[in-house]
Amino acid sequence: MRNITVSVDDETHRRARVRAAELDTSVSALVREFLRRLAPRDRRRERQEFQPLESALERRRRLFEEVFTDFDARGVGLRMTDNLPRAALHDRAAIGPEADPAGRPDTDG
C-alpha cells in the first residue's frame, strides 16, 4: 500500500475530521474511498454516478423518503380519515369477536 501526502488548510482539515467522525471513519478512509470512486477499476463502475458518502442519519432520511414516495405511487395512504374514531377503537362488540386475538368472549357486558 502506498502513502500519499496531501496539504490542506486548517479549516478544510477540521471539517474533514468532523465529517469523518460523523461517518464513524477516518479522514484517510474518506480520501481512499474518494480516490477509488474517482478511478474505478472497470468501465462499468465508471459509468455509475458518483455518490458522496452519507451519514447514517442522511441514509435513514433518504430511505424514509423512498418509502413514502413508494406509498404515494401505489396509493397506500397514511391519512387521518382512514383511522377509526376513538370510540370505535374501544368498542369490541361493534367490530366482532375476532377483535380479541385470544378468542375470549367479551365479558364487559
Side-chain angles (χ1 to χ4, degrees):
M1 184 177 284
R2 298 289 220 173
N3 290 326
I4 301 173
T5 302
V6 178
S7 297
V8 296
D9 60 86
D10 289 340
E11 180 62 15
T12 301
H13 181 258
R14 185 190 70 74
R15 290 173 60 202
R17 288 185 58 174
V18 168
R19 185 64 176 153
E22 290 172 351
L23 297 170
D24 195 28
T25 191
S26 66
V27 173
S28 293
L30 290 176
V31 172
R32 184 172 36 254
E33 183 62 24
F34 172 78
L35 293 174
R36 281 186 184 145
R37 291 179 181 190
L38 184 66
R41 290 184 181 193
D42 64 1
R43 294 287 182 203
R44 289 179 301 221
R45 288 185 59 200
E46 193 172 314
R47 287 189 289 260
Q48 293 177 349
E49 182 179 335
F50 177 76
Q51 297 287 326
L53 293 174
E54 61 185 353
S55 69
L57 178 60
E58 291 167 337
R59 182 174 182 274
R60 277 188 236 116
R61 284 182 178 153
R62 179 179 53 79
L63 292 173
F64 275 125
E65 192 62 38
E66 288 176 14
V67 167
F68 289 124
T69 300
D70 182 56
F71 280 5
D72 288 342
R74 292 188 297 134
V76 174
L78 298 175
R79 298 178 304 262
M80 292 298 292
T81 57
D82 294 339
N83 293 340
L84 289 173
R86 185 175 187 85
L89 287 173
H90 299 286
D91 187 7
R92 289 193 179 134
I95 52 179
E98 66 276 357
D100 185 4
R104 295 182 300 250
D106 185 11
T107 59
D108 290 341

